[in-house]
Amino acid sequence: MRAAYASATKPDEPLAALTVGDLPEPSPPDGWVTVDVRASSLNHHEIWSLRGVGLPADRLPMILGCDASGVDAQGNEVVVFPVVDDPKDPRGFSLLSERWPGTLAERVAVPAANLVPKPAGLSFLDAACLPTAWLTAYHMLTTRGRVADAEAVLVQGAGGGVATAAVLLAAALGKRVYATSRDPGKREKIAALGATAVEPGARLPERVDVVIESVGTPTFEHSLKCAAPGARIVVCGATGGHFPKIDLRRVFMMQLEILGSTMGTADELAALLKLCVAEDIRPVIDSTYGFSAVADAFARLHSGEAFGKVAIDHLH
């Protein structure tokens, strides 16, 4: 079957490690099922994998991709939950494409419990954008950030998949949303999604109860300064650097919570799908590529210019 996979790892030239070609069909173990993939989407996880982060040489070649929607052997339309229990991993789990082949292929094998019904109201392309970035944002807001108890939310570095999802979801949940971006064009786009867009480091008109933080060093001091007493700063990444300076006086005097967050649960993915249908929320898709142009999709993601998700239509 055709697949997009890491044939090597190249820390300085990740796209040079990407190969598109034929690999063997999945051979699912007991309790696993195979899904015919109709659509998928890219995450920066794929770029890190091509750099060799979390993907040692003894696992190559490795089919990339965490996100997919498709059809199971019984003809059911499903969304793939990409988290697999993994006692060999210090986290207790791994994502598809780390130890088990990923979703950027004609078919993918996953545990049967990892299939979540796709609502009829969501297209395959929309659904395929949700399992990683959108699920991460949903888990950050609801479970970790306790956004139900919040009135205002700050999203740092809007434009990427998680940040864009957080803006849309927080707005749909009735919260006042502020979002930062260095790019004036992205600030204009994020404002159209329901946020008050500001430059990085800008003073907000109020302190917020939840901060969605995926940038790290360049924004973390601002996140602390914008936090209301008892606020939750929820961290899912550090794209700008992972050693920020933290004024601990602000943390204890304001009784702030700094919370790590990675992915979410299958039940949360099901709840997210229902919320998207009920509130008529659809993921922002920057661009869609046919599978034959998957290398171009990777180049678009790697450029840093994408606003929202880069999606793959596997039927073209």
Side-chain angles (χ1 to χ4, degrees), residues 135-148 232 234 257 259-261 263-265 267-268:
L135 177 59
T136 295
Y138 182 82
H139 181 73
M140 292 174 78
L141 285 167
T142 59
T143 302
R144 302 296 276 163
R146 308 191 301 281
V147 76
R232 284 77 67 194
V234 190
E257 297 179 48
L259 302 165
S261 187
M263 294 298 290
T265 67
D267 287 342
E268 286 173 325

Side-chain angles (χ1 to χ4, degrees), residues 25-300:
E25 293 277 348
S27 299
D30 290 344
W32 288 48
V33 295
T34 300
V35 174
D36 289 331
V37 179
R38 297 290 178 84
S40 62
S41 68
L42 301 185
N43 298 283
H44 284 284
H45 182 274
E46 279 75 75
I47 303 296
W48 287 111
S49 294
L50 291 168
R51 293 185 189 276
V53 178
L55 187 59
D58 61 0
R59 296 182 195 166
L60 300 175
M62 174 61 75
I63 298 175
L64 299 169
C66 300
D67 292 345
S69 61
V71 178
D72 68 11
Q74 286 71 46
N76 301 304
E77 297 183 352
V78 296
V79 182
V80 173
F81 175 61
V83 179
V84 180
D85 290 339
D86 189 349
K88 296 180 180 179
D89 192 289
R91 299 168 295 180
F93 69 86
S94 60
L95 302 181
L96 293 176
S97 77
E98 292 179 348
R99 194 177 301 276
W100 300 94
T103 58
L104 295 179
E106 292 182 67
R107 280 165 288 282
V108 63
V110 295
N114 284 48
L115 298 188
V116 177
K118 181 183 79 65
L122 284 178
S123 69
F124 282 111
L125 275 171
D126 285 339
C129 293
L130 302 178
T132 297
W134 276 69
L135 177 59
T136 295
Y138 182 82
H139 181 73
M140 292 174 78
L141 285 167
T142 59
T143 302
R144 302 296 276 163
R146 308 191 301 281
V147 76
D149 300 328
E151 295 185 358
V153 176
L154 169 63
V155 180
Q156 296 282 19
V162 172
T164 305
V167 167
L168 277 165
L169 290 170
L173 293 169
K175 310 305 173 181
R176 294 187 297 277
V177 185
Y178 302 92
T180 66
S181 176
R182 294 174 298 175
D183 186 326
K186 289 185 178 180
R187 289 199 298 271
E188 184 176 336
K189 290 178 180 178
I190 211 72
L193 300 180
T196 298
V198 299
E199 295 183 11
R203 185 180 181 89
L204 303 184
E206 63 179 318
R207 295 184 185 273
V208 301
D209 308 296
V210 178
V211 181
I212 300 300
E213 175 65 77
S214 62
V215 180
T217 300
T219 58
F220 210 83
E221 184 178 5
H222 184 239
S223 294
L224 290 168
K225 289 180 177 178
C226 293
R232 284 77 67 194
I233 300 173
V234 190
V235 184
C236 74
T239 57
H242 55 276
F243 285 118
K245 291 183 179 179
I246 298 177
D247 186 341
L248 291 176
R249 296 170 299 179
R250 190 176 293 274
V251 175
F252 64 75
M253 291 298 292
M254 300 289 281
Q255 300 192 74
L256 304 180
E257 297 179 48
I258 300 173
L259 302 165
S261 187
T262 301
M263 294 298 290
T265 67
D267 287 342
E268 286 173 325
L269 178 56
L272 171 61
L273 292 167
K274 291 178 182 177
L275 177 66
C276 286
V277 173
E279 298 294 333
D280 198 26
I281 306 168
R282 296 297 180 270
V284 176
I285 296 179
D286 171 83
S287 48
T288 302
Y289 295 81
F291 195 87
S292 58
V294 69
D296 295 332
F298 270 82
R300 175 64 179 173

